[in-house]
Amino acid sequence: GAVVSQHPSWVICKSGTSVKIECRSLDFQATTMFWYRQFPKQSLMLMATSNEGSKATYEQGVEKDKFLINHASLTLSTLTVTSAHPEDSSFYICSARGGPGELFFGEGSRLTVL
Amino acid sequence: AQKITQTQPGMFVQEKEAVTLDCTYDTSDPSYGLFWYKQPSSGEMIFLIYQGSYDQQNATEGRYSLNFQKARKSANLVISASQLGDSAMYFCAMRYYGQNFVFGPGTRLSVLP
């Protein structure tokens, strides 16, 4: 079956540094990928929709300059948390749309900012 | 490898009736957690219910209950008294040691008036 891979699965960084998280569709092409952030009570908030070859569509309240999303190819989307601060510590998950009605999730990336 | 299976790509239920969404999982880890999420058209993933692998009783949250059968490795979601607002995608997920998630393919539930 289709697989979506995220890397790294766990990252610790110092405050003020930038961190890049990759999301890859391993056996299918994904023109659309989604990035989520986990909040208390386990809900995953949609941050942005990443479209291959065009700018990402950000949800209301998500800082575009803070969370840079690049979807340079049909199998790779990246989320860069710029100038990370402790409040950015969270669990980030990506998903990729396969065929109609299909949505595949990555394993998530745990970011801890010291 | 851990895996989640949801065999029902789509389900229909009449308003006010109960519906069961199937979820089976495969893991060799003794410690894990099982989650159900609802994804409305807005795209966010709304947490519904959680069941730990060592929990003795089935989890319940309002109209949601989880039919946890550990020996069969199944964690079916039961929604009682369906409402039109329950129409959405539903994802079963497992979180195992290392805090990674494995999601199922999802079930699209349509509640009919």
Side-chain angles (χ1 to χ4, degrees), chain A residues 60-111:
Chain A
Q60 193 173 9
V62 178
E63 298 177 62
K64 301 179 183 180
D65 297 331
K66 176 80 174 168
F67 300 100
L68 300 179
I69 291 173
N70 183 278
H71 196 154
S73 77
L74 287 171
T75 59
L76 174 64
S77 176
T78 60
L79 168 68
T80 301
V81 183
T82 63
S83 186
H85 287 98
E87 57 265 30
D88 298 326
S89 298
S90 191
F91 195 77
Y92 295 87
I93 293 182
C94 73
S95 67
R97 182 164 286 162
E102 291 184 327
L103 193 63
F104 303 100
F105 287 83
E107 293 185 331
S109 299
R110 168 71 65 183
L111 171 63

Side-chain angles (χ1 to χ4, degrees), chain A residues 41, chain B residues 36 47-51 58-66 77-80:
Chain A
K41 291 190 177 181
Chain B
W36 276 93
F47 166 72
L48 297 179
I49 197 166
Y50 168 82
Q51 179 86 42
N58 288 347
T60 60
E61 288 285 348
R63 294 188 297 114
Y64 305 106
S65 60
L66 201 151
L77 176 71
V78 180
I79 305 175
S80 63

